[in-house]
Amino acid sequence: MQAQPAAGGAFPERPVRLIVPYPPGGPTDLVMRAFAEAAQKPLGQPIVVENRSGAAGTMGGQLLATGARPDGYTIAQMPITVLRHRFLSARPVFDPRTDFTWIIQLAGYQFGVVVRADAPWRTFQEFLDHAKANPGAIEYGSPGVGSSLHITMTQIAEMKGIDWLHVPFRGTAASTNALLGGQIAAVAGSIDAGTVGPDGPMRALVSWGAQRHRRLPDLPTLREVGIDLVSDSPYGIAGPKGMDPGVVRVLHDAFKAAIDDPGVRSLLERYDMPVLYLNSADYAAAVLRQIETEERLLARLGLRPE
């Protein structure tokens, strides 16, 4: 599995750098490290993960668009927040329609709302009732302004007439620590089935997928509690614009093979991340469609550039 770039030499001849735009230890970091470990086997070179957190998961996109060479040796995990960047930033660093080479869509996040195990709310409806009765008193954490978590919580608040406070963090691990430390009341994020069970330190109140969490069959979805929303935020891998098609194909094939790796599948199941595979061409087309959707949604919610 090697490509012959125009400059000569087979690809890859050295390690590939994979930017993960979230801190170490969170769900995205753990899953992407598993993907990297599995993909480097068919690739024949190490894939080195580099964490660059902040800016609601857009740091990978910023690095790709501001100096990374389009040789395939620098790629990044791309959450859906990358597609919102130009609508939420007063000075956008990149345009997702033109500044990237979309390599492969891998999977999607299915999020939910989590509270401490000793919290007074046993159901999401109780949580909503408390928030509505106490405007501005509930603080929830997310990975940042413009993240899918922030957007969906804003939609829920709009639909239910609720005023709660958003507290942005650099990643889910940081917001979870704040929750356990009592600094915030809830976290909107990926649901780790290993920490929200009967003996876990947290309790999940609701999931945001179209179907119930595979490992938490008693956890209701938003639709089941009367909120007609589904949040299955897709993510994939991209590189800088102008990459050689042969290099793209090599990287695509390596990560596609990694989807079936047992270690990857186990972590995807743990965090209820469905496989949402798209090849390079279909991924690029899906990105353009999603950008239009995001622009309409952000305009309707009244979210403005910062």
Side-chain angles (χ1 to χ4, degrees):
M1 181 187 290
Q2 289 187 320
Q4 197 75 22
F11 177 86
E13 295 182 305
R14 63 179 190 273
V16 172
R17 174 189 179 207
L18 171 60
I19 307 297
V20 173
Y22 295 101
T28 298
D29 176 64
L30 295 174
V31 169
M32 293 313 300
R33 286 180 184 275
F35 266 116
E37 183 177 353
Q40 68 188 10
K41 299 171 187 176
L43 200 62
Q45 288 285 349
I47 298 178
V48 180
V49 171
E50 180 178 324
N51 297 93
R52 291 294 189 96
S53 61
T58 64
M59 286 302 297
Q62 293 187 35
L63 290 168
L64 293 182
T66 57
R69 296 179 61 186
D71 55 11
Y73 289 103
T74 301
I75 57 177
Q77 191 257 13
M78 302 289 261
I80 202 170
T81 46
V82 169
L83 309 186
R84 302 181 183 124
H85 172 72
R86 61 189 294 268
F87 308 122
L88 291 174
S89 175
R91 296 180 178 83
V93 179
F94 56 79
D95 186 337
R97 298 172 301 181
T98 58
D99 287 342
F100 306 116
T101 300
W102 300 95
I103 297 169
I104 182 172
Q105 182 171 289
L106 295 170
Y109 299 101
Q110 292 200 21
F111 301 116
V113 176
V114 173
V115 297
R116 282 176 32 153
D118 59 0
W121 315 291
R122 306 297 301 183
T123 68
F124 193 55
Q125 187 59 55
E126 291 177 357
F127 180 75
L128 293 176
D129 291 344
H130 180 90
K132 191 160 187 175
N134 299 273
I138 290 291
E139 294 182 317
Y140 76 90
S142 91
V145 175
S147 65
S148 294
L149 298 151
H150 173 221
I151 297 296
T152 303
M153 289 294 279
T154 301
Q155 290 178 280
I156 294 171
E158 178 192 55
M159 296 170 72
K160 293 296 184 179
I162 287 171
D163 176 22
W164 45 35
L165 297 179
H166 175 227
V167 183
F169 290 85
R170 295 181 72 87
T172 300
S175 60
T176 299
N177 287 336
L179 173 67
L180 294 175
Q183 285 86 48
I184 55 177
V187 167
S190 297
I191 298 176
D192 180 352
T195 63
V196 298
D199 300 320
M202 295 178 289
R203 177 189 307 131
L205 298 180
V206 68
S207 67
W208 295 355
Q211 307 294 329
R212 291 194 175 197
H213 195 297
R214 286 167 291 183
R215 292 179 61 181
L216 299 169
D218 294 330
L219 182 65
T221 67
L222 281 173
R223 283 179 169 170
E224 289 175 322
V225 297
I227 300 172
D228 191 17
L229 284 176
V230 172
S231 179
D232 55 355
S233 178
Y235 64 83
I237 301 288
K241 66 180 179 182
M243 287 177 60
D244 180 275
V247 172
V248 173
R249 183 170 58 252
V250 169
L251 289 167
H252 166 276
D253 291 351
F255 278 95
K256 185 175 187 295
I259 291 174
D260 294 322
D261 179 84
V264 170
R265 287 284 183 165
S266 176
L267 278 172
L268 291 176
E269 181 178 345
R270 174 177 173 178
Y271 294 110
D272 201 30
M273 296 184 186
V275 173
L276 300 175
Y277 163 74
L278 291 176
N279 63 32
S280 302
D282 291 343
Y283 187 21
V287 162
L288 294 177
R289 293 193 300 270
Q290 189 66 42
I291 288 172
E292 295 180 358
T293 299
E294 296 300 321
E295 183 174 20
R296 291 193 299 269
L297 173 61
L298 295 173
R300 184 177 65 77
L301 293 176
L303 295 177
R304 301 283 186 251
E306 295 192 338

